[in-house]
Amino acid sequence: MLVTLKEILEIAEKKKIAIGSFNASGLEAIEAELAAAEELQLPIIIQFAQCHEPWVPLDTIGPIMVHMAKRASIPVCVHLDHGETLEYLAKALEIGFTGIMYDGSVLSYEENLANTAKVCEVAHACGASVEAELGSIAAGEKSHEGSASDIEAYTDPELAGKFVKETGVDALAVSVGTVHGLYKGKPNIRTDILEKIDQNTQIPLVLHGGSGVPEQDILNCIERGIAKINVNTEISAYTVESTAEYLKKEQPHFSVLSLKQEEYVKEIVKKYIAFFGR
Ligand code: 13P
């Protein structure tokens, strides 16, 4: 069943778990992610990032995501990841996305605040919820986030409190040491900063760059307000490696290969959903 970002994050807060949010830019990924959540009977967020538009247009993939979410037996939010322009966000709302992220993290604090407030007004009028970002999450290795800058700027807990109050945003993506993509060294997750942000904002927080974060760090983050965890790179890496192994043994028809890849995506997504939801 299709639910809003706000509704799905309320489930997370009540159960003190995080909801896995997985990027999907093709039918196989959507099918596999939803099948993983159905098998575990846990909620899921499926998301499409604006920077993946060159791979498949939003107006092709978006209606499929919404249609499939409506058919699911578990709560599903269909979310736009890293929306950069107001026009693009409006398109996602028109298609029926129930969550949209406005990423104004490259702008000044004032511009990010003004644009986020405007996005909240429009999205809320459409019955959808909004995630915004404050601070800047850097890009690691093999990052798939075209919009990610290479600058890491931790979220300021004081500003975060003010930002949430003045924009009316439903969830806030924070920069506390995770990166988009794979880590060059050991991640240094600043749970001290996260704890302060949580105290000051009192809304569900979002951890981008979920790939490669050690399990104990994830648990520490969930304890300190993280209710949505984005994972992309590791799903791709696992699927590509498994496909390479498979192709050493078989030369299947393309459609059989697609089904095999769906299995790989399902396996890795299940692992994440089960861990975040325990
Ligand atoms: P990873 O690719 O590092 O898992 O990050 C995904 C993400 O944060 C999408 O917004």
Side-chain angles (χ1 to χ4, degrees):
M1 86 213 57
L2 183 64
V3 300
T4 65
L5 182 67
K6 193 175 165 64
E7 286 164 340
I8 212 163
L9 296 182
E10 275 167 10
I11 302 175
E13 287 199 307
K14 237 178 249 156
K15 292 187 167 178
K16 298 202 180 317
I17 60 168
I19 314 286
S21 192
F22 305 96
N23 290 79
S25 51
L27 187 59
E28 289 81 10
I30 304 169
E31 296 249 28
E33 291 167 5
L34 291 177
E38 293 262 11
E39 271 187 34
L40 295 170
Q41 283 296 296
L42 285 168
I44 187 170
I45 301 167
I46 53 173
Q47 59 184 17
F48 179 78
Q50 181 170 353
C51 62
H52 295 164
E53 176 75 25
W55 299 353
V56 53
L58 175 65
D59 52 16
T60 302
I61 195 85
I64 298 173
M65 292 169 81
V66 172
H67 171 71
M68 288 173 70
K70 283 182 181 163
R71 281 196 329 200
S73 67
I74 33 99
V76 181
C77 166
V78 179
H79 187 66
L80 182 76
D81 190 28
H82 294 285
E84 293 156 38
T85 63
L86 303 187
E87 294 72 26
Y88 202 81
L89 292 159
K91 204 158 137 185
L93 290 173
E94 241 170 71
I95 292 169
F97 277 46
T98 51
I100 52 173
M101 176 197 187
Y102 172 62
D103 182 354
S105 61
V106 293
L107 305 175
S108 69
Y109 172 80
E110 289 74 22
E111 275 177 295
N112 188 4
L113 181 108
N115 289 353
T116 302
K118 207 180 292 165
V119 169
C120 285
E121 212 178 290
V122 177
H124 291 162
C126 297
S129 332
V130 179
E131 170 189 340
E133 178 172 327
L134 197 62
S136 175
I137 299 155
E141 281 172 10
K142 294 191 185 172
S143 173
H144 295 250
E145 314 308 317
S147 67
S149 72
D150 214 6
I151 303 158
E152 181 172 64
Y154 292 124
T155 305
D156 178 329
E158 294 291 320
L159 281 185
K162 202 164 147 308
F163 186 86
V164 165
K165 221 175 273 155
E166 289 178 19
T167 56
V169 77
D170 303 286
L172 186 69
V174 293
S175 174
V176 291
T178 56
V179 299
H180 283 120
L182 299 179
Y183 291 82
K184 289 167 186 156
K186 201 178 160 300
N188 176 22
I189 311 298
R190 294 287 306 270
T191 45
D192 55 329
I193 297 179
L194 180 60
E195 202 164 297
K196 286 190 193 133
I197 300 169
D198 188 31
Q199 282 161 5
N200 290 354
T201 57
Q202 304 280 311
I203 62 163
L205 302 175
V206 182
L207 194 71
H208 282 244
S211 295
V213 179
E215 290 194 344
Q216 191 52 53
D217 283 322
I218 294 281
L219 295 177
N220 294 341
C221 288
I222 296 175
E223 251 175 57
R224 291 163 179 82
I226 292 293
K228 172 178 184 272
I229 304 180
N230 289 8
V231 184
N232 183 16
T233 307
E234 213 165 286
I235 295 167
S236 161
Y238 179 78
T239 306
V240 170
E241 277 160 30
S242 306
T243 304
E245 281 305 306
Y246 175 68
L247 289 177
K248 280 185 196 159
K249 294 175 260 157
E250 311 261 349
Q251 284 295 296
H253 187 275
F254 169 60
S255 50
V256 175
L257 181 62
S258 297
L259 285 178
K260 203 75 200 159
Q261 291 182 315
E262 228 176 276
E263 268 177 43
Y264 301 140
V265 173
K266 189 167 108 183
E267 265 168 37
I268 180 91
V269 168
K270 259 177 95 172
K271 192 193 97 177
Y272 276 110
I273 299 180
F275 182 65
F276 296 159
R278 68 196 207 152

